[in-house]
Amino acid sequence: GDEGVMVLGSGPYRIGCSVEFDWSCVETVKRLQYHKKQAIVVNCNPETVSTDYDVSDRLYFEALTFERIADIYDFEQSQGIIVSVGGQTPNNRASALKAYGATILGTSPEDINRAEDRNTFSALLDKLHILQPAWAKLSDQKSAIAFAKLVGYPILTRPSYVLSGSNMR
């Protein structure tokens, strides 16, 4: 269709969740409109409605579930969906939306996964002969302490599939 581009927001703010995604979505909307594209925002964040309700051409105040997004995509006959400016929640929907037949604009679901899955990303660095620090996939404190003693401090811990929110601790 030629009826606009959907932009998925980050969903409701939660304790520990970053707010930069509202800014990213608004800036994406502005760029779409600059290029004469209708911008359709899907976000169930009250802050979007209170401050940015008139920025997009259409705003759907809906939960960012696969079912709601797919329904809106079908109704709007959208050109595609931008998932990569809304944070982890839209990223998590990318593969299912692509499998459904939606056009994902920007970063592909495969590349989102390649960046977020630590094993896949490390394998890519190895293939490209890019040096990387020693790392391990760990799920308990005892293993993390043992790894830290092995490689020495300082260390960086980073969860997979978490761009923001309470799991970034």
Side-chain angles (χ1 to χ4, degrees):
D2 196 23
E3 298 303 316
V5 174
M6 290 173 57
V7 179
L8 302 185
S10 62
Y13 290 154
R14 296 166 301 282
I15 293 174
C17 186
S18 301
V19 298
E20 70 271 12
F21 298 118
D22 259 353
W23 179 87
S24 298
C25 288
V26 168
E27 290 302 309
T28 300
V29 165
K30 289 178 182 177
R31 290 282 89 193
L32 287 168
Q33 292 170 337
Y34 175 82
H35 291 285
K36 309 292 188 237
K37 302 286 185 188
Q38 288 189 18
I40 305 157
V41 171
V42 181
N43 200 8
C44 56
N45 181 339
E47 196 62 27
T48 298
V49 174
S50 70
T51 61
D52 304 325
Y53 69 92
D54 60 349
V55 171
S56 62
D57 296 291
R58 283 188 294 293
L59 170 65
Y60 286 87
F61 191 73
E62 294 285 345
L64 292 165
T65 64
F66 167 77
E67 293 79 8
R68 290 292 67 76
I69 298 165
D71 286 347
I72 295 166
Y73 181 79
D74 290 342
F75 177 77
E76 289 287 348
Q77 296 293 294
S78 175
Q79 289 179 342
I81 305 174
I82 297 174
V83 301
S84 55
V85 296
Q88 195 63 52
T89 300
N91 279 353
N92 290 347
R93 305 290 176 262
S95 292
L97 288 165
K98 182 177 180 183
Y100 179 70
T103 301
I104 304 299
L105 302 173
T107 307
S108 72
E110 296 80 14
D111 286 335
I112 291 170
N113 187 62
R114 189 183 342 266
E116 291 199 86
D117 182 277
R118 301 290 172 241
N119 290 316
T120 305
F121 186 74
S122 177
L124 175 63
L125 295 180
D126 288 343
K127 180 180 174 184
L128 297 174
H129 305 288
I130 297 173
L131 295 176
Q132 58 186 304
W135 72 278
K137 184 176 180 179
L138 307 165
S139 59
D140 63 82
Q141 188 174 9
K142 183 178 178 183
S143 298
I145 291 170
F147 179 76
K149 286 180 181 177
L150 177 70
V151 299
Y153 289 93
I155 62 166
L156 171 69
T157 59
R158 174 75 164 87
S160 294
Y161 296 97
V162 179
L163 284 179
S164 181
S166 60
N167 287 330
M168 281 294 293
R169 51 191 151 128

